[in-house]
Amino acid sequence: MMDNLGFLNSFLTVLDEGSLSAGARRLGVSQPAVSQQIASLEQRFGKQLLHRSVKGSKPTRAGELLYCYAKKIQESHRQLLTELEALDDTATGKLRVSTSLVFAETLLGPLVQSFRRDHPDLDITLRADDRYVDVVSEGFDLAIRTGGPGNTDGMARKIGVLETVLVASPAYLDQRGRPATPADLDRLEFIQYREDRVNGWLPVFQNHTETQAPVRVGFTVDTPQLLQNALNNNLGFVRGPLFMLSDGLKTGRLQRVLPDYTPEPKPIYAVYPHRHALNRRALLLIAAVRQALAGLDGVRLLPFPGLDDRSS
């Protein structure tokens, strides 16, 4: 039975990746090994499952039918393992976690290292990537995301909200002037992080009233360090979570732009593969994340039903 599950996983991976060679690379095995597994499935079901060509692999009608059922079998198997793990009070085994580059550098990276010291029997993989991974198809136990949950077949639960602020260096504001109204914001240049597209306008709020402030993008970066460097080099203003920028505001390295207005907050999501159960390892990490967030400026935590009694 386990061989069949492995062969079905190889079949799904080949179709998801589009070719035998790409599927083999993702699985970390040789192409002949994957080809033999597909051949074994074709012999088992008595049907040709793939159309193979130099352009890749496409399913036959029988292959399309198998793909649908194999997805359900794969998900049921994962759910079974997760629910079995949820019965265990220990924190051992593998834990695969995904988060954004910014969150990895500012919060989750150091937290996961501390979490690993507290749970030495865990084998933890932390993947820092601004791409929204699919926790189900890519085999992650947990993703911690800000802004949105992304597209996934798993479960997304909002665990908190981050207050965001607009900031710039005092030198930059001395040079360009300090906006008094949202309309004045177009005198400044916006340093845009790749995940935070503004499309010419940025909503800001005062007394629950929304105003669309005009924004001119002057510089776009794709790493948190480049964003910080651009801010330090007086290239413009940024929008970011208050907890990340509060030290700079307290020391005077940074100043708030439009201090009487607030940008949209950013929600924080925990995303996990199965709707019916969280494994013990992921549950403990979510509890640790919430505990770390609780002490930060501009963070509002939301209830997570069942967490306290199951993770204590």
Side-chain angles (χ1 to χ4, degrees):
M1 177 180 176
M2 296 308 295
D3 283 347
N4 287 336
L5 286 173
F7 293 173
L8 288 174
N9 182 60
S10 296
F11 174 72
L12 291 172
T13 303
V14 166
L15 289 181
D16 288 340
E17 295 295 318
S19 71
L20 287 167
S21 58
R25 283 195 299 271
R26 178 169 157 186
L27 292 165
V29 299
S30 68
Q31 181 175 332
V34 173
S35 182
Q36 180 59 47
Q37 291 177 9
I38 302 300
S40 296
L41 286 176
E42 290 178 329
Q43 183 177 6
R44 167 70 178 82
F45 292 111
K47 301 285 186 182
Q48 182 182 351
L49 300 175
L50 295 179
H51 294 300
R52 302 167 176 85
S53 71
V54 294
K55 294 183 179 180
S57 300
K58 301 292 184 182
T60 62
R61 291 184 64 184
E64 291 175 349
L65 184 63
L66 179 61
Y67 183 90
C68 293
Y69 278 92
K71 276 287 190 184
K72 296 175 183 178
I73 292 170
Q74 184 184 64
E75 174 61 20
S76 294
H77 182 247
R78 286 175 176 165
Q79 182 179 323
L80 169 63
L81 294 179
T82 299
E83 293 192 14
L84 288 173
E85 289 168 354
L87 299 176
D88 192 353
D89 289 333
T90 62
T92 62
K94 295 181 181 295
L95 178 63
R96 299 190 72 232
V97 183
S98 170
T99 195
S100 67
L101 289 169
V102 171
F103 221 56
E105 292 188 2
T106 58
L107 180 77
L108 202 58
L111 185 148
V112 166
Q113 294 180 41
S114 176
F115 184 78
R116 172 60 178 76
R117 287 193 295 270
D118 293 338
H119 301 281
D121 294 327
L122 279 177
D123 176 4
I124 302 176
T125 298
L126 176 61
R127 180 71 57 81
D129 191 342
D130 287 329
R131 178 180 64 88
Y132 282 160
V133 302
D134 187 326
V135 293
V136 174
S137 66
E138 297 182 50
F140 284 92
D141 297 287
L142 178 67
I144 302 295
R145 295 175 178 156
T146 59
N151 295 321
T152 180
D153 291 331
M155 177 68 178
R157 184 181 294 278
K158 190 185 296 185
I159 64 174
V161 178
L162 301 176
E163 179 185 348
T164 66
V165 291
L166 306 178
V167 301
S169 68
Y172 181 78
L173 294 175
D174 288 342
Q175 177 187 3
R176 294 298 186 95
R178 288 164 173 78
T181 69
D184 297 334
L185 203 60
D186 66 356
R187 297 205 307 259
L188 309 184
E189 292 178 315
F190 184 62
I191 306 170
Q192 178 175 261
Y193 190 66
R194 61 179 178 182
E195 69 168 9
D196 199 15
R197 301 290 176 178
V198 294
N199 298 319
W201 300 93
L202 184 69
V204 293
F205 297 84
Q206 184 183 57
N207 299 325
H208 305 291
T209 299
E210 178 180 341
T211 301
Q212 292 291 326
V215 172
R216 291 191 302 111
V217 176
F219 195 49
T220 300
V221 298
D222 64 359
T223 71
Q225 187 58 57
L226 286 174
L227 186 74
Q228 185 63 56
N229 291 345
L231 191 59
N232 294 339
N233 288 325
N234 307 320
L235 294 183
F237 74 99
V238 304
R239 174 201 177 206
L242 176 59
F243 85 87
M244 288 175 49
L245 303 166
S246 60
D247 285 346
L249 290 169
K250 291 172 183 176
T251 61
R253 280 191 307 104
L254 300 173
Q255 288 184 0
R256 291 186 67 158
V257 177
L258 291 176
D260 295 330
Y261 293 82
T262 57
E264 285 185 305
K266 278 194 169 186
I268 314 167
Y269 288 92
V271 185
Y272 42 94
H274 308 291
R275 296 181 178 276
H276 304 292
L278 266 169
N279 67 48
R280 175 72 173 174
R281 303 180 296 276
L283 195 63
L284 286 172
L285 183 57
I286 291 173
V289 169
R290 285 168 52 84
Q291 184 176 8
L293 288 169
L296 299 178
D297 291 336
V299 176
R300 177 169 59 89
L301 292 179
L302 300 177
F304 199 106
L307 182 62
D308 294 335
D309 57 325
R310 291 179 62 189
S311 58
S312 59

